[in-house]
Amino acid sequence: MLGFFRTWRRKRALRRSTLDPALWRQVTGGLPFLQGLTPAEWHRLRDFAVLFLDEKEMHGARGFVLTDAVRLSIAVQACLPILNLGLDAYQGWVGIVIYPGEFKVRREETDASGVVHEYDDELSGEAWPGGPVILSWQDIKLGAAGYNVVIHEFAHKLHMGRGDMDDFPAPHAHMQSEPWLAAWDTAYDEFCAQVDRGMDTLIDPYASEQPAEFFAVLSEAFFTLPQAVRSIYPELYAQLALFYRQDPATRINA
Ligand SMILES: [Zn+2]
């Protein structure tokens, strides 16, 4: 029943869509990593973006005014990773909160002697299990090859449905779990050793913090800097291509 209702609601949303073609061209033209999508993929991306905007609720925080271009840009970037997984990969939550810039969150940490420390953290994005995704528009605008805060936070969302955050997400049913986990373990060990030695790395050293961050940061790079990921981590690239059911290195002329 729920499945039928969702399908009907989606058909209706697509039928009633008033997405302005000029706005679509303007927004997607500013996202170079979309280059090389096939006509069928472009079509699906547009449909997904329309449905995403219909099903999710975006709110501007700290006075940030959400324009149609901001909303569409976030929807398009969020829908790229699930283009071949389906919109239901983002089921179970609705809220997206957008701040004009980085936002402060209060953290609490208990040290080894049991003392609780409180401190403020400045974040560009955050994803809550079962809850909202929080994003900084300033950081979305800083998106570049290898850096994409929207893909990062939505990769966390995909992870949350597939296991806990101190390990790598579970592979999909069509994948074998042994090569998937082996590729992550090898790449993560190697990456953390490089960060410890202070070496220059392809992706942000922040990715060494925990497996969830390594997965999210590599997902950003997979979609926006795929050829570099493929040449440095060929096994992991192949596994990510199976996971996302996409092969971005073959479509982007970097
Ligand atoms: Zn993260």
Side-chain angles (χ1 to χ4, degrees):
M1 188 60 197
L2 266 178
F4 171 79
F5 177 68
R6 197 183 303 127
T7 306
W8 172 80
R9 193 192 148 125
R10 284 178 177 172
K11 277 187 184 154
R12 186 184 61 177
L14 290 174
R15 209 170 57 229
R16 292 184 180 177
S17 167
T18 53
L19 179 60
D20 175 6
L23 181 70
W24 174 256
R25 280 194 299 276
Q26 178 208 318
V27 166
T28 56
L31 302 169
F33 50 88
L34 299 175
Q35 276 170 32
L37 290 175
T38 64
E41 287 168 332
W42 273 114
H43 191 92
R44 188 156 68 251
L45 185 64
R46 198 185 55 214
D47 281 357
F48 276 18
V50 166
L51 296 174
F52 185 93
L53 290 170
D54 181 58
E55 293 173 21
K56 302 299 182 202
E57 288 170 12
M58 292 191 195
H59 305 277
R62 218 190 292 141
F64 185 60
V65 178
L66 290 176
T67 62
D68 286 348
V70 165
R71 288 162 43 80
L72 184 59
S73 176
I74 293 168
V76 168
Q77 294 180 74
C79 287
L80 178 66
I82 55 150
L83 198 54
N84 294 328
L85 300 176
L87 207 54
D88 289 347
Y90 292 149
Q91 230 180 287
W93 57 277
V94 291
I96 300 164
V97 180
I98 302 114
Y99 282 86
E102 288 197 325
F103 49 94
K104 268 198 187 107
V105 290
R106 181 120 281 220
R107 300 281 192 215
E108 219 179 73
E109 217 168 64
T110 309
D111 69 18
S113 52
V115 179
V116 178
H117 301 271
E118 273 195 24
Y119 60 98
D120 287 329
D121 221 357
E122 292 265 12
L123 297 181
S124 55
E126 199 176 33
W128 287 81
V133 171
I134 306 164
L135 297 163
S136 147
W137 177 245
Q138 197 177 40
D139 291 80
I140 295 173
K141 281 196 302 182
L142 290 173
Y147 180 71
N148 187 296
V149 67
V150 178
I151 294 176
H152 181 106
E153 297 309 329
F154 281 84
H156 280 324
K157 271 292 185 192
L158 293 176
H159 190 162
M160 282 164 189
R162 316 194 63 77
D164 58 52
M165 304 301 277
D166 45 24
D167 203 350
F168 298 105
H172 294 290
H174 68 274
M175 298 168 65
Q176 288 180 294
S177 93
E178 212 173 291
W180 165 257
L181 287 176
W184 282 111
D185 286 346
T186 308
Y188 188 55
D189 283 352
E190 190 186 302
F191 181 74
C192 290
Q194 287 171 343
V195 171
D196 285 347
R197 289 200 297 271
M199 289 168 68
D200 277 341
T201 49
L202 170 71
I203 58 169
D204 193 334
Y206 169 72
S208 67
E209 290 223 337
Q210 62 165 337
E213 294 309 330
F214 194 57
F215 171 71
V217 176
L218 262 172
S219 293
E220 296 174 60
F222 176 75
F223 286 106
T224 63
L225 197 58
Q227 282 152 347
V229 176
R230 189 176 59 180
S231 74
I232 295 177
Y233 301 110
E235 282 88 13
L236 194 53
Y237 180 88
Q239 290 298 319
L240 278 167
L242 289 171
F243 184 86
Y244 285 111
R245 296 180 182 246
Q246 295 187 48
D247 192 357
T250 58
R251 65 179 180 236
I252 294 178
N253 292 318

